[in-house]
Amino acid sequence: MAATLTRDELAVALGRTGLGDRAAFRIVYEATSAKLLGVCLRILADRQLAEDVLQDIYLTVWRKAETFDPARASPITWLVTIARNRSIDRLRSAAPMRKTTPVEDAHDLADAAPLASDILEHSDEVKRLNVCLSELDDKVRGVIRTAFMDGVTYDTLAQRENVPLGTMKSWIRRGLLRLRTCLDQ
């Protein structure tokens, strides 16, 4: 059963992990692996690939835990960012080899596992984030959700919205700054 830790307890465990504490690393893993696997599955849509990426994520956490700064981000935000970035990197590296399936077969391919967004919905931080997201313009909120929950690149979003890449980056940057201000309150 996954451990339930407060934000502060998880931050302390990450700090101890940065000092090489294996027991603290186990605590971090047990408290966050289900959430991070959900993020990977949502982006990669392949359980085996998601589990491989999850292993890479925890290797990164072990090596870089000392760089975690609780003043800059919550522990789960820091971990989800690593998971998202690793998953997108894996997608990009495997892009030419990706197998495609006709859309008619999508029902048979659906994964019964909960979506990453469903897993995260239960956390208080996500509830706060959703309140802050609701204060953004619909378009900005949509592109931020698509970029960070579905792993869609800024370039692809710019093409979808028919705007220059720089404009898309500006929308997302300004939206993230407003989110940060809202979350810091």
Side-chain angles (χ1 to χ4, degrees):
M1 183 172 166
T4 303
L5 300 179
T6 66
R7 176 182 178 155
D8 292 337
E9 290 169 333
L10 188 55
V12 168
L14 271 172
R16 289 186 12 229
T17 298
L19 299 172
D21 184 334
R22 291 176 186 261
F25 181 68
R26 176 182 288 270
I27 290 168
V28 169
Y29 178 83
E30 289 174 355
T32 62
S33 60
K35 288 179 185 179
L36 299 186
L37 180 60
V39 170
C40 296
L41 278 170
R42 176 81 172 150
I43 294 169
L44 297 168
D46 178 296
R47 188 166 196 87
Q48 183 62 48
L49 192 56
E51 289 172 355
D52 290 346
V53 170
L54 187 68
Q55 182 177 358
D56 292 342
I57 292 164
Y58 282 103
L59 287 172
T60 300
V61 169
W62 177 253
R63 288 191 310 260
K64 301 208 180 235
E66 75 275 359
T67 66
F68 169 70
D69 181 0
R72 294 188 66 208
S74 73
I76 198 66
T77 300
W78 186 74
L79 292 164
V80 167
T81 300
I82 293 170
R84 178 188 175 275
N85 292 342
R86 293 280 182 211
S87 297
I88 291 171
D89 289 347
R90 185 64 61 94
L91 267 182
R92 288 178 180 155
S93 69
M97 301 181 299
R98 286 182 77 189
K99 182 179 105 177
T100 59
T101 304
V103 73
E104 295 82 21
D105 296 341
H107 185 271
D108 297 332
L109 296 175
D111 187 357
L115 298 175
S117 58
D118 293 339
I119 294 170
L120 294 174
E121 285 294 329
H122 295 88
S123 99
D124 289 336
E125 290 176 351
V126 173
K127 290 176 185 170
R128 280 188 37 225
L129 177 61
N130 284 332
V131 168
C132 291
L133 275 169
S134 70
E135 296 176 7
L136 297 176
D137 297 332
D138 290 342
K139 188 172 283 198
V140 173
R141 178 177 53 247
V143 295
I144 287 175
R145 281 186 180 273
T146 303
F148 290 92
M149 293 303 290
D150 296 339
V152 176
T153 65
Y154 291 5
D155 188 45
T156 301
L157 287 169
Q159 291 173 10
R160 286 182 186 174
E161 294 292 328
N162 198 25
V163 297
L165 178 60
T167 300
M168 181 57 61
K169 288 180 179 180
S170 294
W171 286 359
I172 292 174
R173 182 175 181 276
R174 279 189 238 121
L176 291 175
L177 288 173
R178 282 187 276 173
L179 281 176
R180 183 178 197 178
T181 300
C182 178
L183 290 170
D184 286 345
Q185 293 177 351

